[in-house]
Amino acid sequence: MPRNAHIHLVVETNFLDSLKDEARKKMLTLSEFCRLKLQTNLQIDRIENKLDLIIKHGSK
């Protein structure tokens, strides 16, 4: 999949260290690990939005 955007984040050092540790344990680069985390969170958001729609339409 082509990558066409850059995101720059400022995080606390201890949070960055914990991300690096998790990435190392999963044998991934930090950037790949962060991309996977973002994709997972997006999936959760989509599921929550669909549930909200079901609740809205179910209550009518």
Side-chain angles (χ1 to χ4, degrees), residues 4-29:
N4 56 8
H6 293 270
I7 299 175
H8 298 270
L9 302 172
V10 178
V11 296
E12 294 178 0
T13 302
N14 59 351
F15 181 63
L16 179 61
D17 291 340
S18 68
L19 287 174
K20 286 179 181 178
D21 288 341
E22 282 188 65
R24 194 175 304 119
K25 287 177 188 173
K26 294 180 186 264
M27 299 178 70
L28 296 170
T29 63

Side-chain angles (χ1 to χ4, degrees), residues 42-52:
L42 291 176
Q43 290 174 359
I44 290 170
D45 290 341
R46 282 194 302 255
I47 291 168
E48 287 176 347
N49 288 337
K50 287 180 182 183
L51 287 174
D52 287 342

